[in-house]
Structures are given as C-alpha cells and as structure tokens.
Amino acid sequence: MLFESLKVGPLELPNRALMAPMTRSRAGSGGVPGSQAGLYYAQRAEAGLIVTEGVQPSAIGQGYMDTPGLHTAAQVEGWREVTGAVHAAGGRIFAQLLHTGRVSHPDNNGGLDSLAPSAVPTKEKIYTRTGLADIPVPREMSTKDVEQTVSDFVQAARNAVEAGFDGVELHGANGYLIHQFLAANTNRRNDSYGGSVAGRLRFAVEVAEAVSAAIGAERVGFRMSPENPYNEIEEPDAATVYPALVDALPESLAYVHLIASPDLDLNLELRKRWAGVLVVNATHEQPVHQETIDAWFGRGADALSFGRAWLANPDLLRRLTIGAPLNDPDPATFFGGDHRGYVDYPVLTDSTTAS
Ligand SMILES: Cc1cc2nc3c(=O)[nH]c(=O)nc-3n(C[C@H](O)[C@H](O)[C@H](O)COP(=O)(O)O)c2cc1C
C-alpha cells in the first residue's frame, strides 16, 4: 500500500508515505526560510507529499522562536526557492499554516500580545532567547479579530500559491489557535464562535471554507488531533466534536490529516464519515514498525505521515522499500542550530546496501 500512488486533488502522489509537518526553528531574520531549508526539503523529495514546518499566516500568529512566515514579500521570495528546489528534485510540497494562538510570547514575534478564543492562561512554558518563559495570558479575540484572522489565513494561502506551493495544510491540531476554538476548556465564549459544539467548530470551518474559496479546496488539507492533551487541551466530548467537524468541513478538501486519537473507535468513526483522502499520523514509536503501517492501512487510511523518521532519514522511502535500518533522530538538534541534525543525516549508498 505504502508504495502505491494516490490522487490528492490535482496531484498524483507516487507513494503514500507523507512527511509530517515539523517545526525546525531555523528561519532567518524577518521569518524568511533559512538558507538551507530548500536543501533540507529537497533531500526528502521522494516523500509522497512534504508538509512543511508550521508557517505563521501573520506576525501575531507566530509563537515560537525563528519560525518562518507567509505574510511578507520577502517570505514569499524565500519560499519560492524552497518550492523550486523540491519541484526540481521531483517532489510535491504543501505549506502548513500554523497560528499558535495563546501559545506565544512577545519576545518571539516582535512584541505582539497573543490572541485566543478566550483569555484562558496556560501553565505551559515557551522558549525565548533568554530561556524558558511563562506564557502570558492571551487577549480574547473580538469578532473583528476573528474576521481579521480568517482573512490572514486566506492571504497566507494565496501567498503560498504565489510562492509555488502545491497547496496548504491548515493546522487544526496540537493545541494551537484552531484547536483552541474546538476545545471547551480553551473556548469559553458564548457568542456564535463558542458555547455549543456547533459554535466551537465555526472558526475551523470558516477558515477551511474561506481558504478553499481562495485557492481551491483540492489544494487545502486540514490537520486534527482529537484528544491530544498537548498544550493543555481537554476534550472530554471529542467523540461528539470531531465527527461533527469532519461532517462540516468542505467535502472536496485535498485531505484530512488525522493524528490518531488514543480512542480507536473514534478514529474508525472519522474514517467512516470522511469520504475524501484520509492521512493518518500514528507512528509514535521509533523506529516505524511495519505492523503499525499495515494496521492503519487495514483500518482504511489512504496514506500515512511520518515525522521523525523522515527528519532523520532523507531516503526513508528507499529504506522502507528494502527493509534497511533507519537513522535515529537526534532531539538535541530538532529546534534551532545549524546544518547539524538538519541536512547532514546520512543516506544509504550502494556500498552500505550491498550485502
Ligand atoms: C521536531 C518536531 C516538530 C514538530 N512540529 C510540528 C509542526 O510544526 N506542526 C505539526 O502539526 N506537528 C508538528 N510536530 C508533530 C509531528 O508532525 C508528528 O505528529 C509527531 O512527530 C508524531 O509523528 P512521528 O512519530 O512520525 O514523529 C512536530 C514534531 C517534531 C518531532
């Protein structure tokens, strides 16, 4: 299955082993992709589809240090080099649009105060240049802020197309802004963007619809992580929220990217309800086990995404094809730093594969 082609919107993916989005915090000044980003992604061009690191759609959408954006002309120019390098190497690449909402710090985004559905603090901490810092209490978004944020996503998606991306993935997972709207513990609003389940879904659906209207739904993916407690999300009603979300998203989206929930029944229910392409990220063990891959295809996944395995193995597909051992990822070089742990993971050579 992993080595079979798959149609995603207008794209024909040559295989179903996607590269999951991974923040690497190596952008240059002004949120322009770093000088080695093109090489890093092009090295991994054999992935069925590359989803980039989270990219902020606006200055205020930036939470972490040294992450790239898609809201200035210089950033678009920088990304054009990256997409050009990936396409020249025969690959396909979507930009992941990530607005971090309350998970932010003014030291990381040029002094801006963070926005969130509600002014709910988190006890999580965040890295800044001076070390680990408390996360400030965010400001509750007004209706005008919501409208502005939707249009920031739209503009960033248009910029992504202009920069040569094949599409965008909306980050609705892992406790960032869209997820903060979905979860009742971070969305305490009682206007039309909160309260009921339908209210909490509304922001996610509006962003997906508006971005789809701007660049075509077949170029838009949506990532979700039901019941993922990361960034202090609590979702006791996930079994109600996520089926309703999947029903409400535009039907012709390129794909839904599901970070598998610990609740297997919920994953199966989402598979049943979503008629489009379903990408599953479920490889929390390292290295990737063949049984896990087989199990998820057996449960109806159309494609799988791998994060750390692609990070540490530019030639992951080849290694999986021949059953070669995988390089181990080095967490010390995940975020920030130089070429080490970024563009220097070794690939197999003919002499290392000869037996
Ligand atoms: C270094 C690193 C950075 C990550 N950054 C992002 C990100 O920007 N956006 C996102 O949706 N997930 C992010 N993730 C989560 C991965 O996409 C993936 O869901 C997770 O690593 C589990 O998959 P794996 O076991 O195949 O690595 C990140 C993970 C890692 C290891």
Side-chain angles (χ1 to χ4, degrees), residues 20-23 54 96 171 174 223 281 283 286 307-308 334-335:
M22 283 174 290
T23 291
Q96 189 191 50
H171 195 342
N174 300 351
R223 193 169 213 216
N281 178 236
T283 57
Q286 299 289 313
R308 290 161 295 168
F334 280 177
F335 304 107

Side-chain angles (χ1 to χ4, degrees), residues 5-57:
S5 64
L6 176 68
K7 214 170 144 30
V8 170
L11 300 176
E12 182 84 15
L13 312 188
N15 62 72
R16 297 165 184 236
L18 277 50
M19 180 172 165
M22 283 174 290
T23 291
R24 304 304 309 272
S25 290
R26 284 167 166 85
S29 65
V32 175
S35 60
Q36 291 184 308
L39 175 60
Y40 165 69
Y41 286 116
Q43 285 175 338
R44 289 154 181 79
E46 66 181 30
L49 175 68
I50 292 169
V51 184
T52 67
E53 62 210 280
V55 177
Q56 53 267 9

Side-chain angles (χ1 to χ4, degrees), residues 176-187:
Y176 300 110
L177 183 67
I178 293 176
H179 202 179
Q180 290 160 26
F181 270 92
L182 295 174
N185 74 310
T186 44
N187 182 345

Side-chain angles (χ1 to χ4, degrees), residues 4-346:
E4 288 173 19
S5 64
L6 176 68
K7 214 170 144 30
V8 170
L11 300 176
E12 182 84 15
L13 312 188
N15 62 72
R16 297 165 184 236
L18 277 50
M19 180 172 165
M22 283 174 290
T23 291
R24 304 304 309 272
S25 290
R26 284 167 166 85
S29 65
V32 175
S35 60
Q36 291 184 308
L39 175 60
Y40 165 69
Y41 286 116
Q43 285 175 338
R44 289 154 181 79
E46 66 181 30
L49 175 68
I50 292 169
V51 184
T52 67
E53 62 210 280
V55 177
Q56 53 267 9
S58 56
I60 204 167
Q62 177 174 8
Y64 298 110
M65 271 193 290
D66 301 329
T67 55
L70 258 170
H71 55 92
T72 71
Q75 293 164 354
V76 171
E77 286 313 304
W79 281 116
R80 193 170 286 139
E81 283 179 32
V82 174
T83 61
V86 169
H87 290 147
R92 297 137 300 277
I93 183 166
F94 272 35
Q96 189 191 50
L97 299 183
L98 162 56
H99 188 308
T100 60
R102 71 173 179 168
V103 184
S104 181
H105 196 285
D107 287 359
N108 293 345
N109 67 10
L112 300 171
D113 292 328
S114 58
L115 294 175
S118 303
V120 180
T122 166
K123 290 191 276 306
E124 297 277 330
K125 298 202 185 277
I126 194 163
Y127 275 101
T128 68
R129 297 231 185 272
T130 52
L132 258 189
D134 289 334
I135 293 183
V137 181
R139 176 164 71 73
E140 176 179 315
M141 290 165 79
S142 65
T143 310
K144 221 165 148 232
D145 292 323
V146 172
E147 286 163 8
Q148 179 62 49
T149 307
V150 172
S151 70
D152 289 343
F153 271 101
V154 166
Q155 187 56 49
R158 289 190 204 278
N159 292 348
V161 171
E162 198 192 321
F165 282 104
D166 298 297
V168 300
E169 176 176 288
L170 302 173
H171 195 342
N174 300 351
Y176 300 110
L177 183 67
I178 293 176
H179 202 179
Q180 290 160 26
F181 270 92
L182 295 174
N185 74 310
T186 44
N187 182 345
R188 310 252 176 94
R189 303 174 74 96
N190 41 37
D191 67 357
S192 60
Y193 289 96
S196 62
V197 168
R200 283 188 271 137
L201 299 183
R202 187 166 164 207
F203 180 70
V205 174
E206 281 189 7
V207 172
E209 285 176 344
V211 170
S212 295
I215 67 164
E218 70 286 355
R219 293 185 180 279
V220 182
F222 188 99
R223 193 169 213 216
M224 59 181 72
S225 61
E227 292 178 292
N228 182 354
Y230 194 66
N231 285 320
E232 286 185 357
I233 289 286
E234 292 165 23
E235 294 186 299
D237 57 356
T240 310
V241 172
Y242 285 89
L245 173 60
V246 157
D247 287 350
L249 287 173
E251 279 174 19
S252 47
L253 284 187
Y255 61 82
V256 163
H257 190 173
L258 173 67
I259 300 179
S261 163
D263 176 356
L264 185 57
D265 287 343
L266 176 55
N267 298 318
L268 295 175
E269 175 67 16
L270 296 176
R271 167 65 291 184
K272 211 162 69 190
R273 290 196 183 223
W274 178 249
V277 169
L278 183 72
V279 181
V280 176
N281 178 236
T283 57
H284 300 288
E285 87 279 343
Q286 299 289 313
V288 181
H289 295 175
Q290 188 61 47
E291 303 80 66
T292 310
I293 293 174
D294 295 342
W296 283 101
F297 282 122
R299 292 171 189 140
D302 296 302
L304 300 185
S305 73
F306 306 103
R308 290 161 295 168
W310 272 117
L311 185 155
N313 297 274
D315 56 350
L316 178 65
L317 193 75
R318 181 163 181 225
R319 288 175 191 253
L320 293 177
T321 308
I322 62 176
L326 304 186
N327 300 323
D328 287 327
D330 174 13
T333 53
F334 280 177
F335 304 107
D338 53 23
H339 66 286
R340 282 166 293 181
Y342 192 44
V343 293
D344 65 348
Y345 279 104

